[in-house]
Amino acid sequence: MQPSTMVWNLTIAYLISSFLRIDGNDSVPSYGVDVSFPMHSFDGVSTNYAWLPHNVDPENNPTPPEYVGVPVQHFSERQSFYEEYVQGCRDYWEEEGHYCDEFEQDRIHQLIDQPASVVNFTEFGYKKIQAPKQIFDLIKDFWDRNKDKDDAENWEVGTTVANYWESPSKHINVADDKNELGGQHLKGSIWNMSEAVIKEWTGLDLLPTSVYGIRVYQEGAVLATHVDRFPLISSAIINVDQDVDEEWPIEMIGRDGIARNVTMKPGEMILYESHSIPHGRPFPLKGRFYANIFVHFQPNPKNEHENILPPYILKDSVYAAHWQEEKKEYQNLQNDEFNQHLSHDAARNGDIETLLQIAQEDYEALHYQDANGWMPIHEGARGGHIGVLQMLVDHGADMNVPTNFGNGKSPLTLALENEQFEVAEFLRYLGAYESEHEL
């Protein structure tokens, strides 16, 4: 769906300025990848500084071979900033610091390969709007009641997507019923109200995949440029609150390859194709805090089956090959139980005690996928065990996760098909959705 002329003119006013004040510079010419933060280069950012002779007077100074094809660097000290950034991660994780370098390699590979391997569902890939009042009021009420909590955000070993080693972030989880007004019902309401907005923008029938937040960035925070993992496809960032000394823009690399720094006020919302638009906040936050919530959807692949690519992956692309290889690996898992874990059997039989024991010994096994992409929550829904579902959701299970590796049926759909109506009512109370996937 094309944006109206009025909306697009507003979007232009928000986005297209190439002379925003960034990094102490009052006016910065247009730039693209590998200038503010490494995106396609494994060696870091460009050091092809604007003040070098071949950039100041190109007619009389030939470009040295090492700078041919390298973007002009308009910012100062970005390479040393990046080197210190990665070293901070290594120092934080000590003996496991090598994972920081591996994560950086994966981040850049993903930035190179993923945008070229996916379907784009909108013309421009992102736009800024005012968040609908009903959505913002709901989130703001939760924030006002819980913002003083000191819930540190947990990060996996070696993750470099944010500089938590220097500026720890907080995560005040809207889905946690220990937070005032929090719980699955709030999470479901945020999904429901956001879906209409993103559906109008993309024209897609959507399935919810994630609500994350509220994440609270603190002074000095940096968010490395990245694209989101699958199946985070059609997404929204809502600015909940902030206390800043100057704007902290999110840098978006558009389909034209130009970086645009988009500012946000509380109550504003950025819609973006997070699987294909590189985005980050590469300049440190100057202020006390900046609070955002992230809402993600994927296209509903109603007519998909296991041999067809998800609707967001291009045929014959690098990621199409990866997807097919992963499918083969799962299909080669041949045993009597379809590679099921004890947790599947316990959920199928309503054995909460065993599930609690598994949670203590191997937490991740509660979310293990068998060869058909079934998790314990699917077995619990099909078997009609409300207690199992509550236990699994309390331990982080996604109540809307489809079977068949994202292309199957949700727990609610399985409950309805197996006439487990009490389970279906319970899941709906939590905010669960039906799906139309093929098995």
Side-chain angles (χ1 to χ4, degrees):
M1 178 177 295
Q2 296 295 322
S4 68
T5 300
M6 180 180 70
V7 171
W8 179 239
N9 285 340
L10 289 173
T11 305
I12 289 288
Y14 283 133
L15 301 181
I16 302 303
S17 172
S18 297
F19 297 95
L20 292 176
R21 185 175 185 276
I22 307 165
D23 196 28
N25 293 288
D26 290 326
S27 62
V28 177
S30 296
Y31 63 94
V33 301
D34 297 328
V35 175
S36 63
F37 211 81
M39 301 176 208
H40 290 175
S41 170
F42 294 98
D43 297 323
V45 297
S46 167
T47 56
N48 185 19
Y49 295 106
W51 47 261
L52 290 172
H54 64 275
N55 289 322
V56 175
D57 185 13
E59 292 185 3
N60 297 309
N61 296 279
T63 301
E66 64 269 27
Y67 292 126
V68 173
V70 178
V72 176
Q73 178 59 267
H74 299 284
F75 302 113
S76 61
E77 304 301 330
R78 293 307 295 174
Q79 180 62 20
S80 60
F81 176 87
Y82 174 67
E83 291 170 358
E84 291 171 6
Y85 182 95
V86 178
Q87 188 60 47
C89 179
R90 296 188 194 108
D91 293 343
Y92 181 85
W93 291 107
E94 297 179 340
E95 291 86 357
E96 298 176 299
H98 62 93
Y99 288 115
C100 302
D101 297 280
E102 293 180 15
F103 190 95
E104 275 299 280
Q105 292 287 308
D106 290 342
R107 180 184 67 83
I108 293 172
H109 274 300
Q110 188 179 17
L111 281 166
I112 294 170
D113 293 336
Q114 185 168 303
S117 295
V118 298
V119 178
N120 295 317
F121 299 101
T122 67
E123 183 176 358
F124 300 103
Y126 61 98
K127 77 173 184 178
K128 184 169 76 170
I129 64 172
Q130 194 72 27
K133 186 176 186 300
Q134 188 177 9
I135 299 176
F136 184 67
D137 287 349
L138 191 70
I139 298 169
K140 187 64 163 56
D141 193 13
F142 169 85
W143 165 253
D144 287 340
R145 294 169 186 254
N146 296 281
K147 62 185 177 183
D148 293 328
K149 295 189 176 180
D150 193 21
D151 297 337
E153 185 170 13
N154 295 318
W155 297 91
E156 293 183 9
V157 175
T159 302
T160 58
V161 74
N163 62 336
Y164 49 86
W165 52 86
E166 181 177 348
S167 176
S169 54
K170 297 196 298 182
H171 180 215
I172 304 176
N173 189 354
V174 296
D176 188 346
D177 58 13
K178 297 182 180 64
N179 291 325
E180 192 173 354
L181 300 181
Q184 295 295 331
H185 179 72
L186 175 59
K187 182 178 178 180
S189 296
I190 294 170
W191 257 332
N192 282 335
M193 289 186 279
S194 300
E195 180 180 8
V197 177
I198 296 179
K199 183 175 182 178
E200 180 179 350
W201 178 53
T202 62
L204 297 172
D205 186 19
L206 300 168
L207 284 177
T209 51
S210 174
V211 170
Y212 191 84
I214 298 170
R215 173 186 283 166
V216 186
Y217 301 96
Q218 302 194 84
E219 187 164 11
V222 170
L223 184 68
T225 308
H226 64 284
V227 286
D228 289 354
R229 59 178 172 81
F230 296 154
L232 309 182
I233 309 300
S234 302
S235 306
I237 304 170
I238 300 173
N239 189 0
V240 181
D241 199 4
Q242 65 185 46
D243 180 6
V244 297
D245 298 325
E246 61 181 52
E247 300 284 5
W248 194 44
I250 182 167
E251 182 184 270
M252 299 278 196
I253 308 296
R255 304 223 196 280
D256 57 4
I258 295 176
R260 295 183 175 90
N261 290 272
V262 186
T263 61
M264 298 180 74
K265 299 292 186 185
E268 293 182 328
M269 183 178 192
I270 292 179
L271 312 179
Y272 65 121
E273 297 196 62
S274 57
H275 69 314
S276 64
I277 294 293
H279 54 282
R281 299 181 187 271
F283 301 98
L285 168 63
K286 295 181 180 179
R288 269 58 60 196
F289 71 85
Y290 197 92
N292 286 173
I293 190 167
F294 307 86
V295 189
H296 302 278
F297 296 85
Q298 65 168 319
N300 187 351
K302 291 183 177 181
N303 300 316
E304 300 293 325
H305 59 77
E306 63 181 19
N307 294 318
I308 296 179
L309 290 168
Y312 46 82
I313 298 181
L314 289 170
K315 183 180 179 182
D316 299 325
S317 65
V318 171
Y319 271 43
H322 291 171
W323 188 88
Q324 297 290 358
E325 289 172 6
E326 290 177 2
K327 282 293 180 183
K328 286 180 182 178
E329 288 180 12
Y330 283 114
Q331 291 168 354
N332 289 334
L333 295 173
Q334 298 294 328
N335 60 35
D336 292 339
E337 294 297 327
F338 299 99
N339 199 44
Q340 287 201 330
H341 188 271
L342 177 62
S343 57
H344 290 87
D345 188 63
R348 186 184 306 114
N349 296 318
D351 187 351
I352 296 177
E353 288 188 9
T354 296
L355 287 170
L356 288 171
Q357 183 177 354
I358 291 170
Q360 292 179 348
E361 297 173 357
D362 184 6
Y363 186 91
E364 292 300 318
L366 294 178
H367 316 299
Y368 189 88
Q369 288 181 300
D370 69 10
N372 293 317
W374 280 59
M375 296 180 178
I377 195 169
H378 300 123
E379 297 288 3
R382 180 168 63 173
H385 305 300
I386 291 177
V388 165
L389 295 179
Q390 182 66 70
M391 180 267 175
L392 291 171
V393 169
D394 287 345
H395 284 76
D398 183 350
M399 62 187 161
N400 291 305
V401 62
T403 59
N404 194 27
F405 312 103
N407 294 311
K409 299 187 178 183
S410 70
L412 176 54
T413 299
L414 292 170
L416 291 169
E417 288 185 349
N418 288 275
E419 299 183 348
Q420 304 291 356
F421 299 120
E422 289 186 5
V423 166
E425 183 178 355
F426 171 73
L427 286 168
R428 283 193 174 115
Y429 171 77
L430 295 181
Y433 296 85
E434 290 184 63
S435 65
E436 299 291 339
H437 295 285
E438 299 291 330
L439 283 173

